[in-house]
Amino acid sequence: MLDRIDHIGVATEDLDASLALYERSLGMPVAHRETVESQGVEAVLLDVGEGHVELLRPLGSDTPVGRFLAKNGPGLHHVAYAVSDIERALGLFKESGIELIDNEPRVGIRDSRVAFLHPRSTGGVLTEIVEPAEGH
Amino acid sequence: MLDRIDHIGVATEDLDASLALYERSLGMPVAHRETVESQGVEAVLLDVGEGHVELLRPLGSDTPVGRFLAKNGPGLHHVAYAVSDIERALGLFKESGIELIDNEPRVGIRDSRVAFLHPRSTGGVLTEIVEPAEGH
């Protein structure tokens, strides 16, 4: 049902420093940069194999990533798995008793369709599923 | 240099509950189970595409994962990237100023060769590089 690890999300206060690390020191090419107002972040996707690292800088302290940084500091924020049919995946998760943050898919970065599962029901791991747009 | 996301490591106090979640609810087949004494964990690898989820249960409270759980609770512990030549990767990271936890590769799960980079120099993300054994 889950095709692969699509990306890991990394929370950062300093996008330039994180970009220098991932692009220059770790050698990942930048694939995409976007401000996702609905999620309160400026995000950068870097390629690693078929997957990505998604750097997340909060647009303000009163955003999900802003609150995460205040509580935990910078670091791993979430993991995302790619699916080919997000409605079907959400239906199966609901049936199996997983608590969803998003009952319906919403638009994510690069025109993907995404939904988050609640870490309360996924062992403390904020888990995203993503149906990439055509071509990604 | 980094070929792909090899796995994410997930710290758990309850391996059976985590297995039920990842195997039954999320549909990932179990690929391998091993007690890695040198790292103080019982670990289970589940397949997702070419990558894996690595569930980590500490063998005691005075282990790296035991201390992580005491401080953070269960959740995302580290990310690992696959490389084909771990010595070369470590050399390049050192040159670029990244602080290494392991200056030399050591044996990891399933006879892989692994090394950890210090989260102090990787934006708070505990980062592992892994040269998988032949056939994995």
Side-chain angles (χ1 to χ4, degrees), chain B residues 44-127:
Chain B
V44 175
L45 286 176
L46 301 108
D47 287 336
V48 53
E50 277 191 300
H52 311 281
V53 169
E54 183 183 64
L55 301 176
L56 300 164
R57 183 187 69 78
L59 298 178
S61 54
D62 191 24
T63 59
V65 176
R67 288 188 291 271
F68 176 91
L69 281 169
K71 187 177 171 199
N72 305 287
L76 282 173
H77 178 262
H78 69 271
V79 60
Y81 300 102
V83 296
S84 54
D85 182 341
I86 195 169
E87 275 88 359
R88 179 166 175 273
L90 286 177
L92 290 169
F93 294 155
K94 257 186 254 187
E95 268 175 39
S96 74
I98 289 178
E99 186 181 344
L100 307 179
I101 292 177
D102 302 300
N103 278 291
E104 302 291 331
R106 54 195 171 93
V107 176
I109 195 168
R110 211 157 50 160
D111 291 327
S112 56
R113 300 171 71 218
V114 305
F116 282 86
L117 318 185
H118 202 292
R120 259 200 300 267
S121 62
T122 51
V125 176
L126 179 59
T127 303

Side-chain angles (χ1 to χ4, degrees), chain A residues 59-80:
Chain A
L59 298 177
S61 54
D62 191 23
T63 60
V65 176
R67 287 188 290 271
F68 176 91
L69 282 169
K71 187 175 171 202
N72 304 286
L76 283 173
H77 178 261
H78 68 270
V79 60

Side-chain angles (χ1 to χ4, degrees), chain A residues 3 8 26 49 53 81 93 122-123, chain B residues 3 8 21 26 49 53 75 81 93:
Chain A
D3 293 340
I8 55 155
L26 299 181
V53 169
Y81 300 103
F93 293 155
T122 52
Chain B
D3 293 339
I8 55 154
L21 171 70
L26 299 181
V53 169
Y81 300 102
F93 294 155

Side-chain angles (χ1 to χ4, degrees), chain A residues 50-101:
Chain A
E50 277 191 300
H52 311 281
V53 169
E54 183 182 63
L55 301 176
L56 300 165
R57 184 187 66 79
L59 298 177
S61 54
D62 191 23
T63 60
V65 176
R67 287 188 290 271
F68 176 91
L69 282 169
K71 187 175 171 202
N72 304 286
L76 283 173
H77 178 261
H78 68 270
V79 60
Y81 300 103
V83 295
S84 54
D85 183 341
I86 194 168
E87 275 89 359
R88 178 167 175 272
L90 286 177
L92 290 169
F93 293 155
K94 257 185 254 186
E95 269 176 38
S96 74
I98 290 177
E99 186 181 346
L100 307 179
I101 293 176

Side-chain angles (χ1 to χ4, degrees), chain A:
Chain A
M1 174 172 44
L2 302 175
D3 293 340
R4 59 184 164 82
I5 298 173
D6 184 80
H7 67 263
I8 55 155
V10 172
T12 179
E13 276 147 355
D14 186 339
L15 202 48
D16 290 335
S18 294
L19 267 171
L21 170 69
Y22 282 91
E23 193 177 15
R24 271 181 257 151
S25 302
L26 299 181
M28 297 183 192
V30 171
H32 184 74
R33 187 166 187 150
E34 182 177 340
T35 296
V36 188
E37 297 278 355
S38 63
Q39 291 178 39
V41 291
E42 182 180 5
V44 176
L45 286 176
L46 302 108
D47 286 336
V48 54
E50 277 191 300
H52 311 281
V53 169
E54 183 182 63
L55 301 176
L56 300 165
R57 184 187 66 79
L59 298 177
S61 54
D62 191 23
T63 60
V65 176
R67 287 188 290 271
F68 176 91
L69 282 169
K71 187 175 171 202
N72 304 286
L76 283 173
H77 178 261
H78 68 270
V79 60
Y81 300 103
V83 295
S84 54
D85 183 341
I86 194 168
E87 275 89 359
R88 178 167 175 272
L90 286 177
L92 290 169
F93 293 155
K94 257 185 254 186
E95 269 176 38
S96 74
I98 290 177
E99 186 181 346
L100 307 179
I101 293 176
D102 302 299
N103 277 293
E104 302 292 331
R106 53 195 170 95
V107 175
I109 194 168
R110 213 157 51 160
D111 291 326
S112 56
R113 301 171 71 220
V114 306
F116 282 87
L117 317 185
H118 202 292
R120 260 201 300 267
S121 62
T122 52
V125 177
L126 179 59
T127 302
E128 178 183 1
I129 53 173
V130 52
E131 185 185 302
E134 291 282 321
H136 293 299

